[in-house]
Amino acid sequence: MQSLGRLEDLPQAYRDQLTEQNLVPLWPNLRAVLPPKIPSRKTTPTHWSYQAMRPLLLRAGELTPMEKAERRVLVLANPGHGLEKMQASAAMYLGMQLLLPGEWAPSHRHTPNAVRMVVEGEGATTTVNGEKCPMHRGDLVLTPTGLWHEHGHEGKDPVVWLDVLDLPLIYYTETSYAIEGERQNVLPGHGERAYVSGGVVPTPAFNRQPKAYPIIRYPWSEVRQSLLALASDQPQLEAVQVTYVNPETGQDVQNNLGFYALMLRPRQTLKLPPRSPAIVFHQIEGQSELIIEQTQFLLNEADTACAPGYTPITIKNRSADTPAFLFMADESPLHRKLGVYEAR
Ligand code: 1HN
Protein backbone atom coordinates (compact mmCIF):
# COMPACT_ATOMS: atom_id res chain seq x y z
CA MET A 1 0.00 0.00 0.00
CA GLN A 2 1.33 3.38 -1.01
CA SER A 3 2.50 5.65 1.81
CA LEU A 4 0.80 9.03 1.77
CA GLY A 5 2.03 12.54 2.41
CA ARG A 6 2.40 13.68 6.02
CA LEU A 7 1.19 16.86 7.62
CA GLU A 8 4.82 17.83 8.28
CA ASP A 9 5.49 17.71 4.52
CA LEU A 10 3.33 20.81 4.08
CA PRO A 11 4.70 24.34 4.64
CA GLN A 12 3.73 25.69 8.06
CA ALA A 13 2.24 28.87 6.51
CA TYR A 14 -0.09 26.74 4.36
CA ARG A 15 -1.12 24.60 7.37
CA ASP A 16 -1.88 27.76 9.33
CA GLN A 17 -4.04 29.06 6.49
CA LEU A 18 -5.98 25.79 6.43
CA THR A 19 -6.53 25.90 10.19
CA GLU A 20 -7.68 29.50 9.94
CA GLN A 21 -10.48 28.36 7.57
CA ASN A 22 -11.37 25.20 9.56
CA LEU A 23 -9.91 23.00 6.85
CA VAL A 24 -7.88 19.78 7.22
CA PRO A 25 -6.03 17.80 4.53
CA LEU A 26 -7.37 14.26 4.25
CA TRP A 27 -4.28 12.38 3.07
CA PRO A 28 -2.25 12.52 6.31
CA ASN A 29 -5.24 10.94 8.13
CA LEU A 30 -6.67 8.67 5.46
CA ARG A 31 -4.98 5.44 6.58
CA ALA A 32 -5.96 6.07 10.20
CA VAL A 33 -9.67 6.29 9.40
CA LEU A 34 -9.57 3.57 6.71
CA PRO A 35 -7.02 1.02 7.90
CA PRO A 36 -6.28 -1.92 5.58
CA LYS A 37 -8.52 -5.00 5.89
CA ILE A 38 -9.44 -4.76 9.57
CA PRO A 39 -10.66 -1.79 11.63
CA SER A 40 -8.56 -0.38 14.44
CA ARG A 41 -10.34 -1.05 17.72
CA LYS A 42 -9.93 0.72 21.04
CA THR A 43 -11.88 -2.04 22.76
CA THR A 44 -9.37 -4.32 24.48
CA PRO A 45 -10.12 -7.73 26.01
CA THR A 46 -11.03 -6.87 29.60
CA HIS A 47 -12.18 -8.91 32.58
CA TRP A 48 -13.97 -7.72 35.72
CA SER A 49 -13.95 -10.09 38.69
CA TYR A 50 -17.14 -9.91 40.72
CA GLN A 51 -15.36 -11.08 43.85
CA ALA A 52 -12.88 -8.20 43.51
CA MET A 53 -15.45 -5.49 42.76
CA ARG A 54 -18.11 -6.57 45.28
CA PRO A 55 -16.46 -5.05 48.40
CA LEU A 56 -15.92 -1.78 46.51
CA LEU A 57 -19.55 -1.70 45.46
CA LEU A 58 -20.73 -2.37 49.03
CA ARG A 59 -18.36 0.37 50.22
CA ALA A 60 -20.05 2.75 47.79
CA GLY A 61 -23.25 1.86 49.65
CA GLU A 62 -21.66 3.22 52.85
CA LEU A 63 -19.96 6.22 51.27
CA THR A 64 -22.71 7.55 49.02
CA PRO A 65 -26.39 7.66 49.97
CA MET A 66 -28.98 7.22 47.21
CA GLU A 67 -29.92 10.92 47.28
CA LYS A 68 -26.33 11.68 46.24
CA ALA A 69 -26.15 9.00 43.56
CA GLU A 70 -29.62 8.54 42.02
CA ARG A 71 -28.15 5.34 40.55
CA ARG A 72 -25.36 3.81 42.67
CA VAL A 73 -23.19 2.27 40.02
CA LEU A 74 -19.57 1.31 39.49
CA VAL A 75 -18.92 1.47 35.77
CA LEU A 76 -17.03 -1.40 34.12
CA ALA A 77 -14.83 0.75 31.92
CA ASN A 78 -12.60 -0.56 29.16
CA PRO A 79 -9.09 0.91 29.60
CA GLY A 80 -8.63 0.84 25.81
CA HIS A 81 -11.20 3.61 25.50
CA GLY A 82 -9.89 5.50 28.57
CA LEU A 83 -11.68 4.88 31.87
CA GLU A 84 -13.30 8.34 31.89
CA LYS A 85 -15.24 7.47 28.70
CA MET A 86 -17.21 4.87 30.67
CA GLN A 87 -17.35 2.53 27.69
CA ALA A 88 -17.02 -1.25 27.55
CA SER A 89 -16.90 -1.11 23.74
CA ALA A 90 -17.74 1.38 20.98
CA ALA A 91 -21.48 1.05 21.59
CA MET A 92 -21.81 -0.70 24.97
CA TYR A 93 -21.78 0.62 28.53
CA LEU A 94 -21.64 -1.74 31.53
CA GLY A 95 -22.30 -0.85 35.15
CA MET A 96 -22.73 -2.81 38.37
CA GLN A 97 -25.56 -1.25 40.37
CA LEU A 98 -26.21 -1.61 44.11
CA LEU A 99 -29.56 -1.11 45.80
CA LEU A 100 -29.82 -1.57 49.57
CA PRO A 101 -32.94 -2.68 51.47
CA GLY A 102 -35.52 0.11 51.64
CA GLU A 103 -33.81 2.23 49.01
CA TRP A 104 -35.54 3.75 46.03
CA ALA A 105 -34.03 4.81 42.69
CA PRO A 106 -36.45 7.46 41.38
CA SER A 107 -38.41 7.26 38.15
CA HIS A 108 -36.94 8.63 34.95
CA ARG A 109 -36.85 7.89 31.26
CA HIS A 110 -34.14 8.49 28.73
CA THR A 111 -33.10 7.98 25.14
CA PRO A 112 -30.45 5.26 25.73
CA ASN A 113 -31.72 1.67 25.84
CA ALA A 114 -30.93 -0.32 28.98
CA VAL A 115 -31.25 -3.85 30.30
CA ARG A 116 -30.55 -5.20 33.76
CA MET A 117 -29.12 -8.68 34.42
CA VAL A 118 -29.67 -9.55 38.08
CA VAL A 119 -26.50 -10.68 39.84
CA GLU A 120 -27.39 -11.20 43.51
CA GLY A 121 -29.99 -10.60 46.21
CA GLU A 122 -33.75 -10.93 46.51
CA GLY A 123 -36.53 -8.41 47.00
CA ALA A 124 -35.75 -5.70 44.46
CA THR A 125 -38.15 -4.67 41.70
CA THR A 126 -37.94 -2.49 38.64
CA THR A 127 -41.15 -0.81 37.53
CA VAL A 128 -41.21 -0.14 33.77
CA ASN A 129 -44.11 1.92 32.40
CA GLY A 130 -46.24 0.66 35.29
CA GLU A 131 -45.20 -3.00 35.08
CA LYS A 132 -43.59 -4.02 38.37
CA CYS A 133 -40.92 -6.64 37.65
CA PRO A 134 -39.47 -8.86 40.36
CA MET A 135 -35.70 -9.27 40.08
CA HIS A 136 -34.14 -12.69 40.70
CA ARG A 137 -30.64 -13.90 39.86
CA GLY A 138 -30.28 -14.23 36.08
CA ASP A 139 -33.50 -12.40 35.19
CA LEU A 140 -33.24 -9.93 32.33
CA VAL A 141 -35.35 -6.78 32.71
CA LEU A 142 -35.64 -4.35 29.79
CA THR A 143 -35.86 -0.60 30.10
CA PRO A 144 -35.93 0.38 26.43
CA THR A 145 -35.61 3.91 25.09
CA GLY A 146 -38.27 6.28 26.35
CA LEU A 147 -39.89 3.99 28.95
CA TRP A 148 -40.28 5.16 32.55
CA HIS A 149 -38.32 3.11 35.05
CA GLU A 150 -37.57 3.13 38.76
CA HIS A 151 -36.08 0.60 41.16
CA GLY A 152 -37.26 -0.36 44.66
CA HIS A 153 -36.08 -2.86 47.27
CA GLU A 154 -38.36 -4.55 49.81
CA GLY A 155 -35.91 -7.34 50.74
CA LYS A 156 -33.30 -7.79 53.46
CA ASP A 157 -29.96 -8.07 51.67
CA PRO A 158 -28.13 -5.92 49.14
CA VAL A 159 -29.26 -6.39 45.55
CA VAL A 160 -26.80 -6.05 42.67
CA TRP A 161 -27.42 -6.09 38.97
CA LEU A 162 -25.45 -5.51 35.78
CA ASP A 163 -26.69 -2.64 33.61
CA VAL A 164 -26.04 -2.88 29.87
CA LEU A 165 -26.77 0.24 27.84
CA ASP A 166 -26.11 1.56 24.34
CA LEU A 167 -25.13 4.84 26.06
CA PRO A 168 -21.79 5.36 24.21
CA LEU A 169 -23.62 5.17 20.88
CA ILE A 170 -26.50 7.41 21.92
CA TYR A 171 -24.09 9.88 23.48
CA TYR A 172 -21.87 9.87 20.37
CA THR A 173 -24.87 10.65 18.16
CA GLU A 174 -25.72 13.62 20.43
CA THR A 175 -29.12 12.17 21.28
CA SER A 176 -28.61 11.28 24.96
CA TYR A 177 -30.87 12.91 27.53
CA ALA A 178 -33.17 12.02 30.45
CA ILE A 179 -36.43 13.27 31.93
CA GLU A 180 -37.21 12.94 35.63
CA GLY A 181 -40.66 11.71 36.61
CA GLU A 182 -43.06 11.02 39.45
CA ARG A 183 -43.36 7.70 41.23
CA GLN A 184 -45.28 5.40 38.85
CA ASN A 185 -48.65 3.81 39.51
CA VAL A 186 -48.35 0.07 39.22
CA LEU A 187 -50.64 -1.29 36.50
CA PRO A 188 -51.97 -4.83 36.03
CA GLY A 189 -50.28 -7.14 33.50
CA HIS A 190 -46.96 -8.90 33.10
CA GLY A 191 -45.65 -9.46 29.57
CA GLU A 192 -43.88 -12.71 30.52
CA ARG A 193 -47.26 -14.16 31.57
CA ALA A 194 -49.21 -13.04 28.49
CA TYR A 195 -46.43 -14.41 26.27
CA VAL A 196 -45.59 -17.42 28.43
CA SER A 197 -45.01 -19.84 25.54
CA GLY A 198 -42.62 -19.24 22.64
CA GLY A 199 -44.95 -20.78 20.05
CA VAL A 200 -48.09 -18.76 20.62
CA VAL A 201 -48.81 -15.06 21.06
CA PRO A 202 -52.03 -13.31 22.09
CA THR A 203 -54.37 -13.16 19.08
CA PRO A 204 -54.64 -9.74 17.47
CA ALA A 205 -58.16 -8.32 17.77
CA PHE A 206 -59.49 -5.40 15.72
CA ASN A 207 -58.09 -2.89 18.10
CA ARG A 208 -55.10 -4.65 19.64
CA GLN A 209 -51.96 -2.67 19.08
CA PRO A 210 -49.06 -4.88 20.11
CA LYS A 211 -46.71 -3.01 22.39
CA ALA A 212 -43.28 -2.21 21.03
CA TYR A 213 -41.86 -4.13 24.01
CA PRO A 214 -44.40 -6.86 24.84
CA ILE A 215 -42.10 -8.64 27.32
CA ILE A 216 -40.20 -6.55 29.85
CA ARG A 217 -38.97 -9.33 32.16
CA TYR A 218 -37.32 -12.51 30.87
CA PRO A 219 -37.14 -14.84 33.92
CA TRP A 220 -33.93 -16.85 34.21
CA SER A 221 -35.86 -19.96 35.33
CA GLU A 222 -37.55 -20.05 31.90
CA VAL A 223 -34.51 -19.16 29.82
CA ARG A 224 -32.45 -21.80 31.66
CA GLN A 225 -35.18 -24.35 31.00
CA SER A 226 -35.20 -23.43 27.29
CA LEU A 227 -31.43 -23.98 27.06
CA LEU A 228 -31.60 -27.37 28.80
CA ALA A 229 -34.49 -28.43 26.56
CA LEU A 230 -32.66 -27.28 23.42
CA ALA A 231 -29.50 -29.14 24.47
CA SER A 232 -31.35 -32.40 25.11
CA ASP A 233 -33.55 -32.10 22.02
CA GLN A 234 -30.57 -31.45 19.74
CA PRO A 235 -27.59 -33.43 21.07
CA GLN A 236 -25.56 -32.57 17.94
CA LEU A 237 -26.12 -28.82 18.28
CA GLU A 238 -22.82 -27.09 18.90
CA ALA A 239 -23.92 -23.67 20.10
CA VAL A 240 -26.72 -24.12 22.62
CA GLN A 241 -27.70 -20.48 22.52
CA VAL A 242 -30.96 -18.55 22.64
CA THR A 243 -31.64 -14.96 21.63
CA TYR A 244 -33.85 -12.66 23.67
CA VAL A 245 -36.50 -11.62 21.14
CA ASN A 246 -39.65 -9.59 20.90
CA PRO A 247 -42.33 -12.35 20.64
CA GLU A 248 -44.45 -10.22 18.26
CA THR A 249 -41.70 -9.77 15.68
CA GLY A 250 -39.16 -12.49 16.39
CA GLN A 251 -36.54 -9.74 16.20
CA ASP A 252 -34.03 -8.65 18.81
CA VAL A 253 -35.65 -7.20 21.94
CA GLN A 254 -33.99 -3.83 21.54
CA ASN A 255 -32.92 -1.50 18.75
CA ASN A 256 -29.15 -1.51 18.97
CA LEU A 257 -27.83 -4.26 21.23
CA GLY A 258 -28.51 -8.00 21.03
CA PHE A 259 -28.88 -10.24 24.10
CA TYR A 260 -28.33 -13.98 24.33
CA ALA A 261 -28.01 -16.84 26.81
CA LEU A 262 -25.47 -19.56 26.11
CA MET A 263 -25.15 -23.00 27.65
CA LEU A 264 -21.90 -24.92 27.49
CA ARG A 265 -22.21 -28.64 28.03
CA PRO A 266 -19.84 -30.16 30.62
CA ARG A 267 -16.25 -29.76 29.34
CA GLN A 268 -17.51 -28.26 26.07
CA THR A 269 -15.20 -26.01 24.05
CA LEU A 270 -16.98 -23.60 21.71
CA LYS A 271 -15.19 -21.60 19.03
CA LEU A 272 -16.89 -18.38 17.97
CA PRO A 273 -15.87 -17.10 14.53
CA PRO A 274 -14.56 -13.54 14.30
CA ARG A 275 -17.53 -11.19 13.85
CA SER A 276 -17.70 -7.43 13.54
CA PRO A 277 -19.53 -6.66 16.84
CA ALA A 278 -17.86 -6.47 20.24
CA ILE A 279 -19.26 -8.98 22.75
CA VAL A 280 -19.84 -8.91 26.50
CA PHE A 281 -19.87 -12.15 28.49
CA HIS A 282 -21.37 -12.52 31.96
CA GLN A 283 -21.15 -15.82 33.82
CA ILE A 284 -24.56 -16.68 35.31
CA GLU A 285 -23.70 -20.18 36.55
CA GLY A 286 -20.54 -22.25 36.58
CA GLN A 287 -17.01 -21.42 35.53
CA SER A 288 -15.67 -20.79 32.03
CA GLU A 289 -12.38 -20.12 30.36
CA LEU A 290 -12.54 -17.34 27.82
CA ILE A 291 -9.80 -17.02 25.21
CA ILE A 292 -9.85 -13.82 23.17
CA GLU A 293 -7.03 -14.07 20.62
CA GLN A 294 -3.93 -14.17 22.90
CA THR A 295 -5.73 -13.19 26.11
CA GLN A 296 -7.13 -15.73 28.53
CA PHE A 297 -9.61 -15.09 31.36
CA LEU A 298 -11.17 -17.34 33.94
CA LEU A 299 -14.81 -16.41 34.37
CA ASN A 300 -16.08 -17.27 37.82
CA GLU A 301 -19.72 -16.90 38.70
CA ALA A 302 -20.92 -13.28 38.24
CA ASP A 303 -17.73 -12.25 36.41
CA THR A 304 -17.99 -10.10 33.30
CA ALA A 305 -15.68 -9.73 30.30
CA CYS A 306 -15.60 -7.86 27.04
CA ALA A 307 -14.09 -8.79 23.67
CA PRO A 308 -13.48 -6.52 20.67
CA GLY A 309 -15.04 -7.26 17.30
CA TYR A 310 -13.29 -9.08 14.42
CA THR A 311 -11.59 -11.34 16.96
CA PRO A 312 -11.69 -15.14 17.27
CA ILE A 313 -13.01 -16.25 20.66
CA THR A 314 -12.94 -19.65 22.33
CA ILE A 315 -14.98 -20.42 25.39
CA LYS A 316 -14.69 -23.55 27.53
CA ASN A 317 -16.76 -24.95 30.35
CA ARG A 318 -14.33 -25.88 33.16
CA SER A 319 -16.67 -28.39 34.74
CA ALA A 320 -16.78 -32.07 33.80
CA ASP A 321 -20.25 -32.64 35.19
CA THR A 322 -22.36 -29.48 35.17
CA PRO A 323 -23.34 -27.11 32.37
CA ALA A 324 -22.10 -23.52 32.38
CA PHE A 325 -24.53 -20.69 31.63
CA LEU A 326 -23.58 -17.29 30.26
CA PHE A 327 -25.40 -14.11 29.39
CA MET A 328 -24.06 -12.29 26.35
CA ALA A 329 -24.63 -8.85 24.87
CA ASP A 330 -23.37 -7.61 21.52
CA GLU A 331 -23.70 -4.89 18.89
CA SER A 332 -25.19 -7.11 16.14
CA PRO A 333 -28.53 -5.30 15.67
CA LEU A 334 -26.66 -2.02 15.29
CA HIS A 335 -24.13 -3.47 12.84
CA ARG A 336 -26.93 -5.01 10.74
CA LYS A 337 -28.74 -1.67 10.57
CA LEU A 338 -25.53 0.04 9.57
CA GLY A 339 -24.90 -2.62 6.93
CA VAL A 340 -21.45 -3.40 8.36
CA TYR A 341 -22.23 -6.71 10.07
CA GLU A 342 -19.66 -9.39 9.20
CA ALA A 343 -18.85 -12.92 10.30
CA ARG A 344 -15.47 -13.99 8.92
C1 1HN B 1 -29.82 4.41 34.21
O1 1HN B 1 -30.99 4.94 33.91
C2 1HN B 1 -29.75 3.38 35.14
O2 1HN B 1 -32.08 3.39 35.54
C3 1HN B 1 -28.53 2.82 35.42
O3 1HN B 1 -30.87 2.02 36.65
C4 1HN B 1 -27.38 3.23 34.81
C5 1HN B 1 -26.27 4.73 33.28
C6 1HN B 1 -26.30 5.74 32.41
C7 1HN B 1 -27.50 6.34 32.07
C8 1HN B 1 -28.67 5.90 32.64
C9 1HN B 1 -30.99 2.90 35.82
C10 1HN B 1 -27.42 4.27 33.89
C11 1HN B 1 -28.65 4.86 33.57
Side-chain angles (χ1 to χ4, degrees):
M1 183 169 293
Q2 195 167 344
S3 72
L4 302 175
R6 300 166 307 164
L7 195 59
E8 304 82 68
D9 300 337
L10 299 169
Q12 186 61 51
Y14 175 70
R15 287 161 63 183
D16 292 345
Q17 283 173 317
L18 290 178
T19 305
E20 181 66 24
Q21 311 258 356
N22 294 322
L23 295 170
V24 173
L26 172 62
W27 58 97
N29 303 306
L30 184 59
R31 296 283 187 253
V33 293
L34 277 183
K37 299 207 172 83
I38 186 162
S40 50
R41 285 139 299 153
K42 289 188 186 150
T43 305
T44 52
T46 308
H47 169 249
W48 295 271
S49 153
Y50 187 62
Q51 201 199 330
M53 81 167 74
R54 189 176 185 277
L56 298 173
L57 191 55
L58 292 175
R59 185 80 177 111
E62 298 165 0
L63 294 170
T64 306
M66 277 307 280
E67 308 80 70
K68 291 288 176 193
E70 210 165 290
R71 299 295 192 263
R72 192 191 291 110
V73 176
L74 294 181
V75 177
L76 283 56
N78 191 308
H81 287 271
L83 298 184
E84 72 290 349
K85 291 281 167 54
M86 301 198 300
Q87 291 180 232
S89 72
M92 292 189 283
Y93 156 105
L94 298 173
M96 207 56 92
Q97 181 161 174
L98 171 70
L99 198 63
L100 295 170
E103 286 184 337
W104 185 258
S107 191
H108 69 178
R109 61 192 183 99
H110 44 66
T111 46
N113 295 274
V115 302
R116 292 109 221 324
M117 164 54 49
V118 183
V119 175
E120 78 164 277
E122 289 292 326
T125 59
T126 292
T127 301
V128 183
N129 270 13
E131 184 173 326
K132 188 173 178 180
C133 302
M135 300 173 91
H136 306 297
R137 169 72 183 140
D139 288 357
L140 186 74
V141 176
L142 311 186
T143 59
T145 181
L147 271 54
W148 293 107
H149 55 282
E150 62 199 80
H151 314 294
H153 190 347
E154 295 151 33
K156 292 191 175 59
D157 298 310
V159 166
V160 177
W161 63 80
L162 177 69
D163 293 310
V164 186
L165 283 82
D166 57 6
L167 180 64
L169 171 73
I170 301 300
Y171 185 76
Y172 175 73
T173 54
E174 301 186 347
T175 54
S176 184
Y177 71 98
I179 296 172
E180 289 181 22
E182 301 296 318
R183 208 171 168 119
Q184 299 171 66
N185 292 318
V186 175
L187 304 169
H190 292 84
E192 77 271 21
R193 293 186 201 159
Y195 292 82
V196 69
S197 170
V200 292
V201 297
T203 301
F206 296 96
N207 54 1
R208 188 173 75 85
Q209 284 284 355
K211 290 180 178 173
Y213 303 96
I215 300 182
I216 292 296
R217 171 175 175 254
Y218 292 75
W220 175 237
S221 59
E222 289 174 17
V223 177
R224 190 182 195 279
Q225 219 177 350
S226 302
L227 287 166
L228 288 167
L230 181 59
S232 77
D233 183 62
Q234 301 188 27
Q236 304 307 321
L237 183 66
E238 216 200 335
V240 183
Q241 184 178 325
V242 293
T243 302
Y244 291 87
V245 297
N246 175 331
E248 290 283 353
T249 64
Q251 301 297 307
D252 289 280
V253 284
Q254 287 191 348
N255 291 324
N256 298 318
L257 303 183
F259 305 99
Y260 319 87
L262 173 70
M263 176 182 136
L264 296 171
R265 296 183 166 96
R267 283 270 180 252
Q268 184 184 353
T269 296
L270 182 68
K271 282 187 191 288
L272 306 177
R275 296 178 324 129
S276 53
I279 315 183
V280 164
F281 297 88
H282 175 78
Q283 189 84 29
I284 299 181
E285 288 180 35
Q287 215 183 36
S288 308
E289 212 173 294
L290 186 65
I291 303 152
I292 306 164
E293 229 153 31
Q294 319 300 347
T295 312
Q296 198 162 327
F297 299 129
L298 179 63
L299 289 184
N300 286 310
E301 213 166 280
D303 284 5
T304 306
C306 171
Y310 302 88
T311 308
I313 297 168
T314 301
I315 180 157
K316 300 180 183 176
N317 180 1
R318 302 258 298 181
S319 168
D321 42 46
T322 49
F325 294 98
L326 292 112
F327 169 66
M328 290 154 65
D330 78 4
E331 302 158 330
S332 294
L334 173 67
H335 283 208
R336 291 204 166 91
K337 279 181 189 135
L338 295 176
V340 298
Y341 180 89
E342 266 186 78
R344 291 188 169 185

mmCIF file of all heavy atoms in Angstrom, residues 191-210:
data_model
loop_
_atom_site.group_PDB
_atom_site.id
_atom_site.type_symbol
_atom_site.label_atom_id
_atom_site.label_comp_id
_atom_site.label_asym_id
_atom_site.label_seq_id
_atom_site.Cartn_x
_atom_site.Cartn_y
_atom_site.Cartn_z
ATOM 1 N N GLY A 191 -45.902 -8.951 30.915
ATOM 2 C CA GLY A 191 -45.650 -9.464 29.571
ATOM 3 C C GLY A 191 -45.241 -10.923 29.564
ATOM 4 O O GLY A 191 -45.683 -11.692 28.714
ATOM 5 N N GLU A 192 -44.390 -11.330 30.549
ATOM 6 C CA GLU A 192 -43.885 -12.712 30.517
ATOM 7 C C GLU A 192 -44.984 -13.721 30.833
ATOM 8 O O GLU A 192 -44.810 -14.913 30.595
ATOM 9 C CB GLU A 192 -42.668 -12.874 31.439
ATOM 10 C CG GLU A 192 -42.950 -12.960 32.922
ATOM 11 C CD GLU A 192 -42.974 -11.600 33.611
ATOM 12 O OE1 GLU A 192 -43.165 -10.567 32.922
ATOM 13 O OE2 GLU A 192 -42.823 -11.563 34.852
ATOM 14 N N ARG A 193 -46.130 -13.242 31.360
ATOM 15 C CA ARG A 193 -47.262 -14.164 31.570
ATOM 16 C C ARG A 193 -48.111 -14.230 30.309
ATOM 17 O O ARG A 193 -48.518 -15.299 29.872
ATOM 18 C CB ARG A 193 -48.108 -13.715 32.760
ATOM 19 C CG ARG A 193 -47.335 -13.854 34.065
ATOM 20 C CD ARG A 193 -48.213 -13.551 35.271
ATOM 21 N NE ARG A 193 -47.356 -13.212 36.408
ATOM 22 C CZ ARG A 193 -47.752 -12.536 37.472
ATOM 23 N NH1 ARG A 193 -49.000 -12.100 37.544
ATOM 24 N NH2 ARG A 193 -46.907 -12.273 38.439
ATOM 25 N N ALA A 194 -48.394 -13.075 29.706
ATOM 26 C CA ALA A 194 -49.212 -13.045 28.489
ATOM 27 C C ALA A 194 -48.526 -13.791 27.346
ATOM 28 O O ALA A 194 -49.185 -14.373 26.491
ATOM 29 C CB ALA A 194 -49.487 -11.599 28.088
ATOM 30 N N TYR A 195 -47.205 -13.760 27.341
ATOM 31 C CA TYR A 195 -46.427 -14.405 26.272
ATOM 32 C C TYR A 195 -45.638 -15.582 26.844
ATOM 33 O O TYR A 195 -44.459 -15.743 26.568
ATOM 34 C CB TYR A 195 -45.473 -13.398 25.641
ATOM 35 C CG TYR A 195 -46.154 -12.299 24.845
ATOM 36 C CD1 TYR A 195 -46.680 -11.189 25.487
ATOM 37 C CD2 TYR A 195 -46.274 -12.385 23.467
ATOM 38 C CE1 TYR A 195 -47.306 -10.175 24.767
ATOM 39 C CE2 TYR A 195 -46.888 -11.377 22.739
ATOM 40 C CZ TYR A 195 -47.408 -10.283 23.387
ATOM 41 O OH TYR A 195 -48.017 -9.284 22.680
ATOM 42 N N VAL A 196 -46.315 -16.407 27.659
ATOM 43 C CA VAL A 196 -45.586 -17.421 28.431
ATOM 44 C C VAL A 196 -44.933 -18.475 27.552
ATOM 45 O O VAL A 196 -43.886 -19.015 27.880
ATOM 46 C CB VAL A 196 -46.504 -18.066 29.502
ATOM 47 C CG1 VAL A 196 -47.579 -18.918 28.847
ATOM 48 C CG2 VAL A 196 -45.691 -18.874 30.497
ATOM 49 N N SER A 197 -45.533 -18.775 26.377
ATOM 50 C CA SER A 197 -45.014 -19.842 25.536
ATOM 51 C C SER A 197 -44.470 -19.278 24.232
ATOM 52 O O SER A 197 -45.102 -18.428 23.612
ATOM 53 C CB SER A 197 -46.142 -20.839 25.248
ATOM 54 O OG SER A 197 -45.720 -21.746 24.266
ATOM 55 N N GLY A 198 -43.280 -19.773 23.820
ATOM 56 C CA GLY A 198 -42.618 -19.240 22.638
ATOM 57 C C GLY A 198 -43.424 -19.422 21.359
ATOM 58 O O GLY A 198 -43.305 -18.632 20.435
ATOM 59 N N GLY A 199 -44.265 -20.463 21.308
ATOM 60 C CA GLY A 199 -44.950 -20.783 20.050
ATOM 61 C C GLY A 199 -46.247 -20.065 19.807
ATOM 62 O O GLY A 199 -46.763 -20.082 18.686
ATOM 63 N N VAL A 200 -46.818 -19.466 20.812
ATOM 64 C CA VAL A 200 -48.087 -18.761 20.619
ATOM 65 C C VAL A 200 -48.008 -17.354 21.194
ATOM 66 O O VAL A 200 -47.310 -17.111 22.181
ATOM 67 C CB VAL A 200 -49.284 -19.510 21.274
ATOM 68 C CG1 VAL A 200 -49.566 -20.819 20.550
ATOM 69 C CG2 VAL A 200 -49.053 -19.748 22.757
ATOM 70 N N VAL A 201 -48.725 -16.434 20.547
ATOM 71 C CA VAL A 201 -48.806 -15.057 21.055
ATOM 72 C C VAL A 201 -50.284 -14.690 21.156
ATOM 73 O O VAL A 201 -51.116 -15.278 20.463
ATOM 74 C CB VAL A 201 -48.072 -14.050 20.131
ATOM 75 C CG1 VAL A 201 -46.590 -14.353 20.053
ATOM 76 C CG2 VAL A 201 -48.689 -14.004 18.746
ATOM 77 N N PRO A 202 -50.623 -13.735 22.004
ATOM 78 C CA PRO A 202 -52.025 -13.310 22.090
ATOM 79 C C PRO A 202 -52.557 -12.927 20.710
ATOM 80 O O PRO A 202 -51.868 -12.260 19.937
ATOM 81 C CB PRO A 202 -51.974 -12.101 23.025
ATOM 82 C CG PRO A 202 -50.756 -12.343 23.875
ATOM 83 C CD PRO A 202 -49.774 -13.007 22.958
ATOM 84 N N THR A 203 -53.795 -13.379 20.402
ATOM 85 C CA THR A 203 -54.373 -13.158 19.079
ATOM 86 C C THR A 203 -54.697 -11.686 18.864
ATOM 87 O O THR A 203 -55.330 -11.069 19.719
ATOM 88 C CB THR A 203 -55.658 -13.992 18.932
ATOM 89 O OG1 THR A 203 -55.316 -15.356 19.110
ATOM 90 C CG2 THR A 203 -56.304 -13.792 17.575
ATOM 91 N N PRO A 204 -54.299 -11.144 17.727
ATOM 92 C CA PRO A 204 -54.635 -9.740 17.465
ATOM 93 C C PRO A 204 -56.147 -9.579 17.296
ATOM 94 O O PRO A 204 -56.749 -10.328 16.552
ATOM 95 C CB PRO A 204 -53.926 -9.441 16.143
ATOM 96 C CG PRO A 204 -53.054 -10.604 15.859
ATOM 97 C CD PRO A 204 -53.549 -11.758 16.642
ATOM 98 N N ALA A 205 -56.750 -8.660 17.987
ATOM 99 C CA ALA A 205 -58.156 -8.317 17.769
ATOM 100 C C ALA A 205 -58.179 -7.063 16.914
ATOM 101 O O ALA A 205 -57.132 -6.545 16.553
ATOM 102 C CB ALA A 205 -58.840 -8.092 19.108
ATOM 103 N N PHE A 206 -59.386 -6.593 16.571
ATOM 104 C CA PHE A 206 -59.492 -5.396 15.724
ATOM 105 C C PHE A 206 -58.602 -4.274 16.220
ATOM 106 O O PHE A 206 -57.937 -3.605 15.473
ATOM 107 C CB PHE A 206 -60.935 -4.872 15.737
ATOM 108 C CG PHE A 206 -61.909 -5.825 15.144
ATOM 109 C CD1 PHE A 206 -62.637 -6.681 15.953
ATOM 110 C CD2 PHE A 206 -62.082 -5.875 13.778
ATOM 111 C CE1 PHE A 206 -63.534 -7.559 15.412
ATOM 112 C CE2 PHE A 206 -62.979 -6.760 13.231
ATOM 113 C CZ PHE A 206 -63.713 -7.613 14.043
ATOM 114 N N ASN A 207 -58.681 -4.110 17.538
ATOM 115 C CA ASN A 207 -58.092 -2.895 18.098
ATOM 116 C C ASN A 207 -56.844 -3.166 18.911
ATOM 117 O O ASN A 207 -56.414 -2.332 19.666
ATOM 118 C CB ASN A 207 -59.129 -2.179 18.965
ATOM 119 C CG ASN A 207 -59.698 -3.109 20.014
ATOM 120 O OD1 ASN A 207 -59.297 -4.268 20.089
ATOM 121 N ND2 ASN A 207 -60.624 -2.613 20.811
ATOM 122 N N ARG A 208 -56.281 -4.385 18.815
ATOM 123 C CA ARG A 208 -55.102 -4.648 19.638
ATOM 124 C C ARG A 208 -53.842 -4.141 18.951
ATOM 125 O O ARG A 208 -53.500 -4.579 17.869
ATOM 126 C CB ARG A 208 -54.948 -6.137 19.934
ATOM 127 C CG ARG A 208 -53.836 -6.388 20.961
ATOM 128 C CD ARG A 208 -53.784 -7.827 21.395
ATOM 129 N NE ARG A 208 -53.203 -8.694 20.392
ATOM 130 C CZ ARG A 208 -51.898 -8.916 20.238
ATOM 131 N NH1 ARG A 208 -51.032 -8.306 21.020
ATOM 132 N NH2 ARG A 208 -51.449 -9.712 19.303
ATOM 133 N N GLN A 209 -53.233 -3.188 19.560
ATOM 134 C CA GLN A 209 -51.958 -2.668 19.079
ATOM 135 C C GLN A 209 -50.875 -3.352 19.887
ATOM 136 O O GLN A 209 -50.731 -3.063 21.064
ATOM 137 C CB GLN A 209 -51.879 -1.156 19.319
ATOM 138 C CG GLN A 209 -52.695 -0.311 18.367
ATOM 139 C CD GLN A 209 -52.032 -0.209 17.002
ATOM 140 O OE1 GLN A 209 -50.928 -0.700 16.808
ATOM 141 N NE2 GLN A 209 -52.701 0.397 16.046
ATOM 142 N N PRO A 210 -50.112 -4.275 19.307
ATOM 143 C CA PRO A 210 -49.058 -4.880 20.114
ATOM 144 C C PRO A 210 -48.108 -3.801 20.616
ATOM 145 O O PRO A 210 -47.811 -2.844 19.894
ATOM 146 C CB PRO A 210 -48.333 -5.814 19.141
ATOM 147 C CG PRO A 210 -49.171 -5.901 17.922
ATOM 148 C CD PRO A 210 -50.090 -4.709 17.912
#
